[in-house]
Amino acid sequence: MNIVRNHILISIDAGTIMSGARAVEDALIKELTKYGLDKEVSVLETGSLGITGMGVVLVVYPEGIYYANVTTKDVPELVEEHLLKGRPLKRLILTEAPKRTIITKEKTGLLKEQPRIVLKNCGFINPENIDEYIAAGGYEAIAKALQTMTPEDVVKEVKESGLMGRGGAGFPTGLKWEFAIKTPGEEKFVICNADEGEPGTFKDRLILEGDPHKLIEGMLIAGYAIKATMGFVYIRGEYNLSIERIEKAIADARSYGLLGKNILESNFSFDIFVKKGAGAYICGEETALIESLEGKRGHPRNKPPFPINAGLWGKPTLVNNVETLANVPEIIRNGAEWYRGYGTEKCSGTKVYTILGHVQTPGLIETEMGTTLKEIIFEYGGGIKDGKNFKGALIGGAAGAFISSEMLDVKMDFVNLREYAAALGSGAILVMNEDTDIVDMLKSVLHFFKHESCGHCVPCRLGTAKLVEIIDRIANSKGKKKDLDELMEITQAMKGASFCPLGQSVSLPVSSALRYFKDEFMAKVSA
Amino acid sequence: MDSEHQCQCAQQNEEELYPKLEEMIEQHKGRPTELIMALHKAQNLFGYLPKKAQEIISERLNVPISTICGVITFYSFFSTVPKGRHSIKVCLGTACYVRGGQQTLERVEKELNTKVGGTTEDRRFSVDVVRCIGACGLAPAMLVDNDVYGRVKSTKIMDILKKYE
Ligand SMILES: Cc1cc2nc3c(=O)[nH]c(=O)nc-3n(C[C@H](O)[C@H](O)[C@H](O)COP(=O)(O)O)c2cc1C
Ligand code: SF4
Ligand code: FES
């Protein structure tokens, strides 16, 4: 979890100062600078962490891992292992961390105050400790649902909350659940889509690593609502720490009777299993994912039938994204009305974004739907790096849209962006400064598509190959003006004729790049 | 030397691993839908998927070998040729690309004198590209086995690789 911006809070109090806390702090900063991590990892002083007699104590967020008895000699190893390689340094970990530490926002420095629903616990509780999740109000929502609500009530609440799927398409979650509950079937499944393959996106990973129980609770509620018996988390094969954390969380939940038979002494029985993906972007698409779960090649299926009618092993199957499910416990706990207090009229709640590229502080933020891109980049992201100017951004990952400065004031939500022929997608925002070569960027995007085309249908298989050929030519300044038209024609044809949304969506980055940055393409081609 | 007794160490070691494989996939017996999990385990064990391992999985899980071939070729995680002892995966996802992922890759290829998809002669390293490993905050990123390295500047690469024997 070194990946996102980390905060190291070092406890500075009488006891720790005597143990050499200041020296450890200096050493940390020096060591981080050595690895060029000083901008990504901030070292902050905090008051007593409530731990005494254990030397210098510090806690690394967002994981919330506590280390005790840290000396200057340990610092190089700590930085290298935990902050560079993302492997907590076991030998110094304090196993019995305090229940909860109150950290004021001011203390976390750079971050602008964020309204947190999904990431509420991330960085504030120890994700490996179920008791901490429970102490933070965890599993209250499932208890409330089981004890005071019918499955239909739960579906109604989610529907009224206005929650939209965070996996990219923004489909209303409550509506999907309603379809699921209406579909007859003895056996139904809930699948959590944790394949997260969109380049520039790692929000689901942060949730899985920072608050795995929240996802379990969300799946439990979904399972209860649609009367399912079994759930699967389909998770990217590369996400080792996420896999470890979610597996541990599932085991702990089982031992607390929160998974398994007759949960909380109700009639509801449900269990969750983890399945690893094997490195194919297309498996993020729900029907391909289901094929893969069945142990096959991950080719998309025909729709209809939709998974909700005939999914895993032909049974009704609900597929939701990690972030979508992580919203659910708070909705049930606080009610739909409360949830709609966040965001815009048409699109409620918050969205987790990853801000990357040429910004001061790349990382992950959660903010209300409807926040403008300008705010996201300049307030949360700290503006453009090295005093350069903003040129544009790629929003929603590779299958997203390029935008230019004229769109900085557009309110970001699923509904509004559609009107601008853009898409929020997975929530990745790649910021580009004035020096960025847009042609080169589009080249990278098209190579991505070619690489990830699953080859199942001809328009996409041949189309992506052809697109790469053309963009390479243009990037080498060997292209002709008619090549630009051909790029558009091919993607338009693919939009109509491709079998699944992967091939259909290539048109978005291509047409948006050509719309906003036509000059740059023209400068590279001859008549 | 009698040809029967001519053995390569790598192969000999491999033979010793089969009982282990049988043990590991026991829980997937007769469950074709768990093929991918079983393949993950085999690949972890051998570093690739030898023909014999595929046959064992085919038989135990009750999946035709042709289906297994189809699955292996579909997923980029799986390989049917022996890989190096350590796998290097350079990220060329969009975020890494803007921050110089391509240069990182070229440097790795040059230093190790091998191309993407290839393995060094001493079987120490295999080089592959990946699209986004979720480490974009530290782009350009690179994976060596299970270790994530962020901010890899071309000059630091050899220092990193030194640690892997
Ligand atoms: C090519 C492709 C890749 C996708 N990748 C993901 C993914 O990584 N994660 C995800 O949640 N949804 C992904 N989706 C969307 C899923 O098909 C599906 O719509 C989503 O999981 C539904 O969940 P939601 O309603 O909670 O958004 C992808 C779709 C396509 C076409
Ligand atoms: S559009 Fe592309 S990814 Fe989708 S089925 Fe066709 S070849 Fe596969
Ligand atoms: S693009 Fe390289 S880690 Fe995400």
Side-chain angles (χ1 to χ4, degrees):
Chain A
M1 263 307 310
N2 56 323
I3 306 318
V4 211
R5 191 172 35 206
N6 288 71
H7 290 102
I8 303 176
L9 296 185
I10 175 158
S11 167
I12 301 284
D13 58 32
T16 56
I17 288 176
M18 270 174 48
S19 314
R22 299 272 183 209
V24 169
E25 186 184 8
D26 292 343
L28 271 171
I29 293 170
K30 225 172 98 199
E31 197 69 12
L32 289 167
T33 312
K34 195 174 104 190
Y35 285 104
L37 290 168
D38 48 331
K39 295 252 159 45
E40 318 274 347
V41 182
S42 61
V43 180
L44 305 158
E45 295 181 5
T46 181
S48 171
L49 286 166
I51 303 156
T52 47
M54 305 211 58
V56 179
V57 182
L58 48 90
V59 46
V60 182
Y61 283 107
E63 302 96 316
I65 290 177
Y66 287 75
Y67 292 108
N69 293 317
V70 182
T71 67
T72 45
K73 276 201 240 109
D74 300 315
V75 169
E77 195 188 352
L78 182 70
V79 169
E80 191 187 353
E81 285 297 307
H82 191 148
L83 297 152
L84 199 67
K85 297 188 190 156
R87 295 191 298 222
L89 184 58
K90 291 226 170 67
R91 103 188 141 76
L92 291 176
I93 291 181
L94 181 66
T95 38
E96 276 174 359
K99 272 263 172 291
R100 208 152 143 73
T101 325
I102 310 301
I103 301 148
T104 58
K105 284 284 171 201
E106 293 77 52
K107 289 251 163 69
T108 57
L110 297 164
L111 295 171
K112 191 180 175 224
E113 181 90 45
Q114 301 173 21
R116 286 185 155 199
I117 297 175
V118 173
L119 302 181
K120 200 177 108 197
N121 291 334
C122 290
F124 295 96
I125 65 170
N126 176 353
E128 300 203 359
N129 187 335
I130 186 169
D131 292 331
E132 290 200 21
Y133 179 70
I134 293 172
Y139 293 110
E140 261 174 32
I142 183 65
K144 178 179 172 188
L146 288 174
Q147 283 153 15
T148 69
M149 299 166 91
T150 64
E152 288 76 11
D153 292 339
V154 175
V155 172
K156 189 159 162 265
E157 199 72 37
V158 172
K159 210 173 153 190
E160 279 171 6
S161 76
L163 176 64
M164 288 167 134
R166 305 293 198 247
F171 189 85
T173 307
L175 200 60
K176 206 190 252 184
W177 289 23
E178 195 174 73
F179 292 145
I181 203 172
K182 283 188 178 150
T183 310
E186 280 285 290
E187 205 176 14
K188 295 182 189 176
F189 301 112
V190 174
I191 295 176
C192 167
N193 187 342
D195 197 42
E196 191 159 73
E198 196 66 74
T201 313
F202 49 90
K203 63 180 180 72
D204 294 344
R205 186 172 107 172
L206 193 95
I207 299 167
L208 287 158
E209 290 178 5
D211 200 6
H213 286 285
K214 194 175 220 97
L215 177 64
I216 295 176
E217 189 174 8
M219 288 181 75
L220 270 167
I221 297 170
Y224 175 66
I226 72 157
K227 303 179 185 170
T229 46
M230 219 193 268
F232 295 93
V233 182
Y234 185 92
I235 190 165
R236 264 190 86 164
E238 291 95 336
Y239 280 9
N240 293 313
L241 184 59
S242 305
I243 294 170
E244 244 172 66
R245 289 252 162 99
I246 191 81
E247 280 182 338
K248 170 155 194 336
I250 289 171
D252 289 347
R254 272 191 204 128
S255 72
Y256 274 53
L258 291 159
L259 284 173
K261 286 214 158 51
N262 301 102
I263 292 163
L264 299 173
E265 285 156 23
S266 69
N267 289 328
F268 174 58
S269 301
F270 188 79
D271 210 344
I272 300 177
F273 303 90
V274 176
K275 298 279 172 169
K276 256 166 89 168
Y281 169 71
I282 189 63
C283 288
E285 196 280 329
E286 53 190 12
T287 60
L289 185 157
I290 288 171
E291 286 285 300
S292 178
L293 262 183
E294 292 182 2
K296 302 183 218 151
R297 290 165 73 99
H299 288 307
R301 293 176 179 174
N302 260 318
K303 288 200 246 184
F306 291 92
I308 217 73
N309 298 310
L312 191 60
W313 301 304
K315 306 271 166 56
T317 304
L318 172 73
V319 184
N320 271 136
N321 170 258
V322 175
E323 187 187 346
T324 314
L325 289 163
N327 270 288
V328 169
E330 293 300 318
I331 292 174
I332 297 302
R333 209 150 72 100
N334 304 306
E337 181 111 15
W338 166 85
Y339 191 77
R340 279 208 317 273
Y342 292 93
T344 58
E345 192 168 332
K346 284 187 189 143
C347 199
S348 54
T350 59
K351 178 80 193 83
V352 182
Y353 296 101
T354 40
I355 325 174
L356 299 161
H358 303 129
V359 285
Q360 289 281 6
T361 49
L364 191 111
I365 60 157
E366 175 171 0
T367 170
E368 284 190 65
M369 287 284 185
T371 308
T372 64
L373 192 60
K374 194 192 243 156
E375 272 177 84
I376 292 175
I377 296 174
F378 291 93
E379 289 181 33
Y380 294 100
I384 310 297
K385 242 181 114 161
D386 305 329
K388 296 266 163 90
N389 288 315
F390 173 81
K391 176 185 221 163
L394 178 62
I395 299 182
F402 286 93
I403 57 121
S404 69
S405 52
E406 60 198 86
M407 277 186 63
L408 277 176
D409 289 315
V410 172
K411 284 190 186 306
M412 306 262 289
D413 71 28
F414 283 108
V415 183
N416 202 31
L417 277 183
R418 262 176 227 154
E419 282 168 28
Y420 291 87
L424 207 50
S426 57
I429 299 175
L430 184 73
V431 177
M432 299 175 276
N433 71 17
E434 53 194 317
D435 301 334
T436 314
D437 180 346
I438 300 286
V439 177
D440 201 40
M441 282 300 301
L442 186 64
K443 178 176 144 184
S444 155
V445 167
L446 294 178
H447 276 262
F448 172 79
F449 273 102
K450 179 179 168 224
H451 186 259
E452 298 299 346
S453 164
C454 81
H456 182 58
C457 72
V458 176
C460 172
R461 189 176 62 229
L462 297 186
T464 50
K466 186 82 191 157
L467 288 171
V468 161
E469 193 190 305
I470 298 174
I471 195 77
D472 283 355
R473 194 154 65 223
I474 298 173
N476 289 332
S477 301
K478 299 216 171 85
K480 295 258 185 306
K481 190 161 172 291
K482 72 170 181 10
D483 282 335
L484 300 181
D485 301 328
E486 204 180 341
L487 279 181
M488 285 297 284
E489 279 160 27
I490 295 172
T491 55
Q492 283 309 313
M494 286 173 67
K495 193 172 171 183
S498 294
F499 185 78
C500 91
L502 188 141
Q504 293 156 10
S505 62
V506 192
S507 67
L508 196 54
V510 172
S511 62
S512 56
L514 284 168
R515 179 175 340 122
Y516 292 112
F517 303 100
K518 184 102 189 196
D519 298 354
E520 292 192 28
F521 286 87
M522 292 305 277
K524 288 231 171 186
V525 296
S526 56
Chain B
M1 206 194 281
D2 184 330
S3 69
E4 252 192 78
H5 292 116
Q6 213 172 34
C7 70
Q8 285 169 343
C9 283
Q11 271 168 14
Q12 188 185 39
N13 291 340
E14 213 170 281
E15 279 306 316
E16 288 166 7
L17 291 173
Y18 284 105
K20 187 103 204 283
L21 177 70
E22 304 254 7
E23 205 179 293
M24 285 165 96
I25 62 170
E26 180 63 27
Q27 65 181 112
H28 306 298
K29 215 167 158 182
R31 298 173 178 224
T33 62
E34 294 179 6
L35 175 62
I36 292 171
M37 292 307 272
L39 292 174
H40 267 301
K41 287 182 181 167
Q43 168 125 346
N44 262 344
L45 191 64
F46 297 99
Y48 75 112
L49 293 166
K51 191 91 199 140
K52 186 167 164 196
Q54 296 176 35
E55 281 160 9
I56 292 175
I57 292 173
S58 162
E59 199 240 326
R60 292 301 129 86
L61 271 70
N62 203 5
V63 182
I65 198 85
S66 58
T67 308
I68 293 190
C69 277
V71 167
I72 292 173
T73 50
F74 184 84
Y75 296 97
S76 62
F77 241 68
F78 300 132
S79 165
T80 52
V81 288
K83 289 274 178 178
R85 289 193 297 286
H86 304 286
S87 90
I88 303 173
K89 292 180 177 159
V90 180
C91 179
L92 287 189
T94 337
C96 290
Y97 192 83
V98 252
R99 291 260 190 119
Q102 185 69 40
Q103 283 91 296
T104 309
L105 176 65
E106 281 163 17
R107 177 74 188 226
V108 170
E109 286 181 329
K110 195 165 147 245
E111 291 287 349
L112 298 179
N113 194 20
T114 178
K115 287 277 166 208
V116 168
T119 300
T120 54
E121 257 172 36
D122 56 4
R123 295 262 309 262
R124 186 165 155 215
F125 292 112
S126 311
V127 182
D128 285 294
V129 299
V130 278
R131 308 278 150 167
C132 193
I133 46 175
C136 333
L138 288 177
M142 174 172 100
L143 265 178
V144 184
D145 298 337
N146 285 332
D147 302 330
V148 179
Y149 291 93
R151 286 276 153 98
V152 280
K153 302 230 171 51
S154 8
T155 46
K156 273 202 310 208
I157 292 170
M158 288 325 283
D159 284 343
I160 295 172
L161 297 185
K162 258 197 283 194
K163 293 181 215 147
Y164 298 85
E165 258 322 308

